[in-house]
Amino acid sequence: MEENQKIKLGISIGDINGIGCEVALKTFEDERMLEFCTPIIFASNKTISQQKGDLNIDITFNGVREASQAIDGKINIVNVWKEVPTIEYGQATKAGGEYAIKSLKAAVKALKEGAIDVLVTAPINKNNIQSEEFKFPGHTDYLAQELKGESLMFMVADALRVGLLTDHIPVKDVANAITSKLIKSKVAIMEKSLKMDFGIRRPKIAMLGINPHSGDKGTIGEEDDKVLAPTIQELFSKGTLVYGPYSADSFFGSDTHKNFDAVLAAYHDQGLIPFKTLSFGKGVNFTAGLDKVRTSPDHGTAYEIAGKGKADESSFKEAVFTAIQVYRNRSEYLELTQNPLQKHKIKKGS
């Protein structure tokens, strides 16, 4: 992609009773953002008009029937529904979940068809999205089904990058879920993403232990010694720069994470608590390993402030910038790695 070519950036609005619309609209209230991409929001003119009026957000937008009709230099709204849903700010309603999924499905369809280049998803409520047609714990699992590749939940904020071996599963199931096969898969996805999406030629990865103090040589659990350590050694012997397992309690406090390009945590809170503590408001959730680029802000629906105009759009804005940068990095990487011998011949003969 040419440096000045506008990326078509799709946005699913999330729960209409949360802060998703607010942070998306506030992001593009700054007209300078339109220099970086063409935003395409999957919702409806009437829903966006109501949200911008309720929240006193000063924007104009262009309504279209499909993403291919989007106009550069404008905020574009794809009309996914015609009816006017009732918005109940701060409430976890059935309708809030239904419209979140309508928006998401329309955006993913456009992403698969190439009508948009990247997708930024606003927050959903993992409870009210559940239905006979949608039985997923969150965006990541749904996208893993719809798009090609194997997914990795990857939290990024500048040089801080934290991926998860397991994501939305109960803590009681974590140890049994972590196998040598899973570790190899997630490390491979992370290593490839660091090279392709972040431009790191020889990435160094740290892996956190499952148990307190990484099991203390079997005193507090054997999983670290019997599963993690041997797999790490095997991967390292084959050329992957992966180290550990490290005791999670002191890893971030001692700044050890700064010695690595990314960290692979064993489970959700082990990785996200330190990540959000160090980067809250600037962090981005990136779904690595898929054939399309998807990011989201690092916060939830924030019902407690929804409809009050108090939401901070910083993380959503970072999600937009990250999606754009990853898309450009990936495009460049694929261009450089496809048919390198043929390119060498062309260059030599020119």
Side-chain angles (χ1 to χ4, degrees):
M1 170 169 282
E2 298 297 327
E3 190 63 31
N4 61 353
Q5 187 175 342
K6 293 284 181 65
I7 287 175
K8 292 181 179 179
L9 185 134
I11 298 170
S12 61
I13 61 168
D15 194 315
I16 58 174
N17 299 323
I19 64 168
C21 279
E22 180 178 349
V23 294
L25 297 180
K26 280 183 173 178
T27 293
F28 291 99
E29 190 175 23
D30 181 350
E31 293 183 355
R32 293 174 300 178
M33 293 296 293
L34 299 176
E35 298 173 11
F36 299 102
C37 64
T38 299
I40 304 169
I41 302 174
F42 292 81
S44 78
N45 292 346
K46 293 176 181 178
T47 297
I48 297 302
S49 291
Q50 181 177 345
Q51 292 261 353
K52 80 168 211 173
D54 291 345
L55 298 163
N56 195 29
I57 297 174
D58 183 20
I59 64 161
T60 58
F61 59 81
N62 175 51
V64 296
R65 282 186 294 182
E66 52 189 53
S68 61
Q69 299 172 332
I71 298 174
D72 287 346
K74 294 183 180 293
I75 300 168
N76 298 273
I77 311 298
V78 175
N79 281 285
V80 180
W81 53 83
K82 295 179 180 179
E83 68 274 15
V84 183
T86 300
I87 297 175
E88 300 178 61
Y89 294 113
Q91 302 300 311
T93 66
K94 181 180 179 182
E98 288 174 348
Y99 284 98
I101 298 309
K102 284 183 180 181
S103 174
L104 176 63
K105 285 186 173 182
V108 171
K109 182 175 183 291
L111 185 66
K112 290 165 70 173
E113 293 173 350
I116 58 176
D117 298 313
V118 299
L119 173 63
V120 179
T121 59
I124 55 177
N125 179 312
K126 290 179 175 58
N127 183 41
N128 70 5
I129 59 169
Q130 303 302 319
S131 69
E132 288 301 314
E133 295 181 358
F134 193 94
K135 296 180 179 180
F136 300 92
H139 284 114
T140 304
D141 303 86
Y142 174 68
L143 292 166
Q145 172 188 281
E146 293 296 311
L147 304 175
K148 295 177 182 177
E150 293 184 56
S151 66
L152 169 72
M153 189 171 175
F154 207 0
M155 308 299 294
V156 299
D158 296 324
L160 177 63
R161 306 179 189 91
V162 179
L164 302 180
L165 267 178
T166 63
D167 40 62
H168 296 126
I169 67 171
V171 174
K172 66 181 178 64
D173 297 332
V174 167
N176 288 333
I178 296 177
T179 62
S180 180
K181 181 180 179 181
L182 178 69
I183 295 166
K184 290 175 182 177
S185 172
K186 296 298 184 181
V187 168
I189 296 169
M190 177 176 276
E191 183 183 36
K192 183 177 180 180
S193 180
L194 289 168
K195 291 177 179 178
M196 181 169 67
D197 301 327
F198 298 95
I200 301 169
R201 294 182 62 187
R202 196 81 170 93
K204 291 176 61 179
I205 298 169
M207 187 173 297
L208 302 183
I210 301 172
N211 298 298
H213 308 294
S214 296
D216 257 347
K217 297 183 178 180
T219 306
I220 318 174
E222 298 180 336
E223 293 85 358
D224 295 279
D225 286 339
K226 290 189 174 182
V227 182
L228 263 65
T231 307
I232 291 169
Q233 290 172 8
E234 181 183 347
L235 289 169
F236 190 87
S237 69
K238 294 179 179 178
T240 302
L241 299 183
V242 57
Y243 303 83
Y246 292 95
S247 180
D249 62 348
S250 59
F251 186 82
F252 292 93
S254 63
D255 284 343
T256 306
H257 64 282
K258 294 181 179 179
N259 298 324
F260 299 92
D261 297 301
V263 180
L264 192 55
Y267 55 93
H268 186 278
D269 284 12
Q270 185 192 64
L272 266 65
I273 288 174
F275 177 84
K276 291 188 176 184
T277 300
L278 293 171
S279 68
F280 198 76
K282 294 184 178 180
V284 174
N285 179 2
F286 166 51
T287 306
L290 301 179
D291 66 334
K292 302 290 185 179
V293 177
R294 174 262 176 167
T295 64
S296 71
D298 70 352
H299 56 71
T301 54
Y303 287 139
E304 66 278 6
I305 60 169
K308 299 177 181 178
K310 296 181 178 179
D312 183 348
E313 71 275 19
S314 299
S315 182
F316 193 92
K317 187 176 287 187
E318 289 297 326
V320 169
F321 283 132
T322 299
I324 292 170
Q325 191 58 56
V326 167
Y327 184 83
R328 292 196 184 282
N329 287 347
R330 185 176 291 190
S331 298
E332 182 180 356
Y333 177 88
L334 292 174
E335 184 180 350
L336 291 173
T337 54
Q338 286 175 353
N339 298 320
L341 292 176
Q342 182 66 26
K343 288 190 175 186
H344 178 71
K345 289 178 182 178
I346 294 172
K347 186 175 180 181
K348 188 175 180 180
S350 61

PDB file of all heavy atoms in Angstrom, residues 319-335:
ATOM      1  N   ALA A 319      -6.255   2.260  19.347  1.00  0.00           N
ATOM      2  CA  ALA A 319      -6.657   1.067  18.597  1.00  0.00           C
ATOM      3  C   ALA A 319      -6.724   1.370  17.100  1.00  0.00           C
ATOM      4  O   ALA A 319      -6.351   0.538  16.270  1.00  0.00           O
ATOM      5  CB  ALA A 319      -8.006   0.559  19.096  1.00  0.00           C
ATOM      6  N   VAL A 320      -7.175   2.569  16.761  1.00  0.00           N
ATOM      7  CA  VAL A 320      -7.218   2.994  15.352  1.00  0.00           C
ATOM      8  C   VAL A 320      -5.801   3.086  14.790  1.00  0.00           C
ATOM      9  O   VAL A 320      -5.497   2.530  13.730  1.00  0.00           O
ATOM     10  CB  VAL A 320      -7.941   4.349  15.212  1.00  0.00           C
ATOM     11  CG1 VAL A 320      -7.742   4.928  13.804  1.00  0.00           C
ATOM     12  CG2 VAL A 320      -9.422   4.196  15.519  1.00  0.00           C
ATOM     13  N   PHE A 321      -4.911   3.775  15.516  1.00  0.00           N
ATOM     14  CA  PHE A 321      -3.537   3.938  15.040  1.00  0.00           C
ATOM     15  C   PHE A 321      -2.818   2.592  14.942  1.00  0.00           C
ATOM     16  O   PHE A 321      -2.056   2.355  13.998  1.00  0.00           O
ATOM     17  CB  PHE A 321      -2.758   4.866  15.978  1.00  0.00           C
ATOM     18  CG  PHE A 321      -3.070   6.321  15.787  1.00  0.00           C
ATOM     19  CD1 PHE A 321      -3.344   7.137  16.871  1.00  0.00           C
ATOM     20  CD2 PHE A 321      -3.092   6.897  14.525  1.00  0.00           C
ATOM     21  CE1 PHE A 321      -3.633   8.483  16.705  1.00  0.00           C
ATOM     22  CE2 PHE A 321      -3.373   8.245  14.342  1.00  0.00           C
ATOM     23  CZ  PHE A 321      -3.645   9.035  15.434  1.00  0.00           C
ATOM     24  N   THR A 322      -3.054   1.706  15.921  1.00  0.00           N
ATOM     25  CA  THR A 322      -2.413   0.390  15.889  1.00  0.00           C
ATOM     26  C   THR A 322      -2.883  -0.421  14.690  1.00  0.00           C
ATOM     27  O   THR A 322      -2.072  -1.062  14.005  1.00  0.00           O
ATOM     28  CB  THR A 322      -2.700  -0.386  17.188  1.00  0.00           C
ATOM     29  OG1 THR A 322      -2.169   0.340  18.299  1.00  0.00           O
ATOM     30  CG2 THR A 322      -2.065  -1.772  17.159  1.00  0.00           C
ATOM     31  N   ALA A 323      -4.182  -0.396  14.411  1.00  0.00           N
ATOM     32  CA  ALA A 323      -4.710  -1.131  13.256  1.00  0.00           C
ATOM     33  C   ALA A 323      -4.083  -0.630  11.964  1.00  0.00           C
ATOM     34  O   ALA A 323      -3.695  -1.426  11.093  1.00  0.00           O
ATOM     35  CB  ALA A 323      -6.231  -0.980  13.203  1.00  0.00           C
ATOM     36  N   ILE A 324      -3.959   0.679  11.834  1.00  0.00           N
ATOM     37  CA  ILE A 324      -3.358   1.264  10.625  1.00  0.00           C
ATOM     38  C   ILE A 324      -1.900   0.846  10.486  1.00  0.00           C
ATOM     39  O   ILE A 324      -1.457   0.422   9.416  1.00  0.00           O
ATOM     40  CB  ILE A 324      -3.477   2.803  10.674  1.00  0.00           C
ATOM     41  CG1 ILE A 324      -4.943   3.229  10.555  1.00  0.00           C
ATOM     42  CG2 ILE A 324      -2.635   3.448   9.566  1.00  0.00           C
ATOM     43  CD1 ILE A 324      -5.179   4.697  10.841  1.00  0.00           C
ATOM     44  N   GLN A 325      -1.148   0.944  11.605  1.00  0.00           N
ATOM     45  CA  GLN A 325       0.275   0.623  11.547  1.00  0.00           C
ATOM     46  C   GLN A 325       0.511  -0.856  11.283  1.00  0.00           C
ATOM     47  O   GLN A 325       1.391  -1.229  10.494  1.00  0.00           O
ATOM     48  CB  GLN A 325       0.969   1.042  12.848  1.00  0.00           C
ATOM     49  CG  GLN A 325       2.498   0.999  12.766  1.00  0.00           C
ATOM     50  CD  GLN A 325       3.045   1.885  11.662  1.00  0.00           C
ATOM     51  OE1 GLN A 325       2.760   3.078  11.627  1.00  0.00           O
ATOM     52  NE2 GLN A 325       3.815   1.311  10.743  1.00  0.00           N
ATOM     53  N   VAL A 326      -0.258  -1.715  11.943  1.00  0.00           N
ATOM     54  CA  VAL A 326      -0.110  -3.156  11.723  1.00  0.00           C
ATOM     55  C   VAL A 326      -0.428  -3.506  10.271  1.00  0.00           C
ATOM     56  O   VAL A 326       0.273  -4.300   9.644  1.00  0.00           O
ATOM     57  CB  VAL A 326      -1.015  -3.956  12.686  1.00  0.00           C
ATOM     58  CG1 VAL A 326      -1.112  -5.422  12.256  1.00  0.00           C
ATOM     59  CG2 VAL A 326      -0.474  -3.876  14.113  1.00  0.00           C
ATOM     60  N   TYR A 327      -1.470  -2.895   9.735  1.00  0.00           N
ATOM     61  CA  TYR A 327      -1.842  -3.155   8.335  1.00  0.00           C
ATOM     62  C   TYR A 327      -0.703  -2.763   7.398  1.00  0.00           C
ATOM     63  O   TYR A 327      -0.360  -3.511   6.467  1.00  0.00           O
ATOM     64  CB  TYR A 327      -3.104  -2.383   7.983  1.00  0.00           C
ATOM     65  CG  TYR A 327      -3.612  -2.658   6.583  1.00  0.00           C
ATOM     66  CD1 TYR A 327      -4.411  -3.770   6.319  1.00  0.00           C
ATOM     67  CD2 TYR A 327      -3.284  -1.819   5.522  1.00  0.00           C
ATOM     68  CE1 TYR A 327      -4.883  -4.034   5.029  1.00  0.00           C
ATOM     69  CE2 TYR A 327      -3.741  -2.076   4.234  1.00  0.00           C
ATOM     70  CZ  TYR A 327      -4.535  -3.183   4.002  1.00  0.00           C
ATOM     71  OH  TYR A 327      -4.988  -3.445   2.727  1.00  0.00           O
ATOM     72  N   ARG A 328      -0.107  -1.619   7.619  1.00  0.00           N
ATOM     73  CA  ARG A 328       1.001  -1.169   6.780  1.00  0.00           C
ATOM     74  C   ARG A 328       2.226  -2.068   6.949  1.00  0.00           C
ATOM     75  O   ARG A 328       2.871  -2.450   5.971  1.00  0.00           O
ATOM     76  CB  ARG A 328       1.351   0.287   7.098  1.00  0.00           C
ATOM     77  CG  ARG A 328       0.267   1.277   6.699  1.00  0.00           C
ATOM     78  CD  ARG A 328       0.808   2.694   6.659  1.00  0.00           C
ATOM     79  NE  ARG A 328      -0.235   3.672   6.377  1.00  0.00           N
ATOM     80  CZ  ARG A 328      -0.745   3.910   5.171  1.00  0.00           C
ATOM     81  NH1 ARG A 328      -0.312   3.215   4.132  1.00  0.00           N
ATOM     82  NH2 ARG A 328      -1.685   4.819   4.999  1.00  0.00           N
ATOM     83  N   ASN A 329       2.556  -2.414   8.202  1.00  0.00           N
ATOM     84  CA  ASN A 329       3.699  -3.288   8.456  1.00  0.00           C
ATOM     85  C   ASN A 329       3.506  -4.645   7.776  1.00  0.00           C
ATOM     86  O   ASN A 329       4.420  -5.192   7.165  1.00  0.00           O
ATOM     87  CB  ASN A 329       3.882  -3.504   9.958  1.00  0.00           C
ATOM     88  CG  ASN A 329       4.440  -2.286  10.663  1.00  0.00           C
ATOM     89  OD1 ASN A 329       4.917  -1.356  10.031  1.00  0.00           O
ATOM     90  ND2 ASN A 329       4.367  -2.279  11.981  1.00  0.00           N
ATOM     91  N   ARG A 330       2.284  -5.167   7.910  1.00  0.00           N
ATOM     92  CA  ARG A 330       1.994  -6.485   7.348  1.00  0.00           C
ATOM     93  C   ARG A 330       2.057  -6.454   5.819  1.00  0.00           C
ATOM     94  O   ARG A 330       2.599  -7.373   5.188  1.00  0.00           O
ATOM     95  CB  ARG A 330       0.620  -6.962   7.816  1.00  0.00           C
ATOM     96  CG  ARG A 330       0.277  -8.368   7.383  1.00  0.00           C
ATOM     97  CD  ARG A 330      -1.042  -8.834   7.948  1.00  0.00           C
ATOM     98  NE  ARG A 330      -1.020  -9.044   9.388  1.00  0.00           N
ATOM     99  CZ  ARG A 330      -2.005  -9.626  10.065  1.00  0.00           C
ATOM    100  NH1 ARG A 330      -3.093 -10.040   9.423  1.00  0.00           N
ATOM    101  NH2 ARG A 330      -1.912  -9.789  11.373  1.00  0.00           N
ATOM    102  N   SER A 331       1.521  -5.408   5.232  1.00  0.00           N
ATOM    103  CA  SER A 331       1.552  -5.276   3.770  1.00  0.00           C
ATOM    104  C   SER A 331       2.993  -5.219   3.267  1.00  0.00           C
ATOM    105  O   SER A 331       3.347  -5.863   2.268  1.00  0.00           O
ATOM    106  CB  SER A 331       0.791  -4.017   3.344  1.00  0.00           C
ATOM    107  OG  SER A 331      -0.570  -4.092   3.713  1.00  0.00           O
ATOM    108  N   GLU A 332       3.824  -4.466   3.979  1.00  0.00           N
ATOM    109  CA  GLU A 332       5.233  -4.350   3.585  1.00  0.00           C
ATOM    110  C   GLU A 332       5.954  -5.679   3.751  1.00  0.00           C
ATOM    111  O   GLU A 332       6.732  -6.103   2.885  1.00  0.00           O
ATOM    112  CB  GLU A 332       5.913  -3.269   4.419  1.00  0.00           C
ATOM    113  CG  GLU A 332       7.367  -3.043   4.051  1.00  0.00           C
ATOM    114  CD  GLU A 332       8.024  -1.955   4.890  1.00  0.00           C
ATOM    115  OE1 GLU A 332       7.323  -1.323   5.710  1.00  0.00           O
ATOM    116  OE2 GLU A 332       9.236  -1.747   4.729  1.00  0.00           O
ATOM    117  N   TYR A 333       5.689  -6.356   4.863  1.00  0.00           N
ATOM    118  CA  TYR A 333       6.323  -7.650   5.131  1.00  0.00           C
ATOM    119  C   TYR A 333       5.961  -8.671   4.050  1.00  0.00           C
ATOM    120  O   TYR A 333       6.837  -9.384   3.521  1.00  0.00           O
ATOM    121  CB  TYR A 333       5.886  -8.163   6.505  1.00  0.00           C
ATOM    122  CG  TYR A 333       6.426  -9.527   6.870  1.00  0.00           C
ATOM    123  CD1 TYR A 333       7.658  -9.661   7.508  1.00  0.00           C
ATOM    124  CD2 TYR A 333       5.694 -10.686   6.592  1.00  0.00           C
ATOM    125  CE1 TYR A 333       8.160 -10.919   7.841  1.00  0.00           C
ATOM    126  CE2 TYR A 333       6.187 -11.939   6.915  1.00  0.00           C
ATOM    127  CZ  TYR A 333       7.415 -12.046   7.545  1.00  0.00           C
ATOM    128  OH  TYR A 333       7.907 -13.294   7.868  1.00  0.00           O
ATOM    129  N   LEU A 334       4.680  -8.741   3.716  1.00  0.00           N
ATOM    130  CA  LEU A 334       4.233  -9.705   2.710  1.00  0.00           C
ATOM    131  C   LEU A 334       4.821  -9.395   1.343  1.00  0.00           C
ATOM    132  O   LEU A 334       5.178 -10.296   0.584  1.00  0.00           O
ATOM    133  CB  LEU A 334       2.703  -9.716   2.651  1.00  0.00           C
ATOM    134  CG  LEU A 334       2.011 -10.271   3.896  1.00  0.00           C
ATOM    135  CD1 LEU A 334       0.501 -10.096   3.792  1.00  0.00           C
ATOM    136  CD2 LEU A 334       2.366 -11.734   4.125  1.00  0.00           C
ATOM    137  N   GLU A 335       4.938  -8.116   1.044  1.00  0.00           N
ATOM    138  CA  GLU A 335       5.525  -7.714  -0.236  1.00  0.00           C
ATOM    139  C   GLU A 335       6.993  -8.102  -0.310  1.00  0.00           C
ATOM    140  O   GLU A 335       7.479  -8.565  -1.344  1.00  0.00           O
ATOM    141  CB  GLU A 335       5.381  -6.203  -0.416  1.00  0.00           C
ATOM    142  CG  GLU A 335       5.882  -5.708  -1.762  1.00  0.00           C
ATOM    143  CD  GLU A 335       5.736  -4.206  -1.937  1.00  0.00           C
ATOM    144  OE1 GLU A 335       5.070  -3.573  -1.100  1.00  0.00           O
ATOM    145  OE2 GLU A 335       6.298  -3.667  -2.901  1.00  0.00           O
TER     146      GLU A 335
END
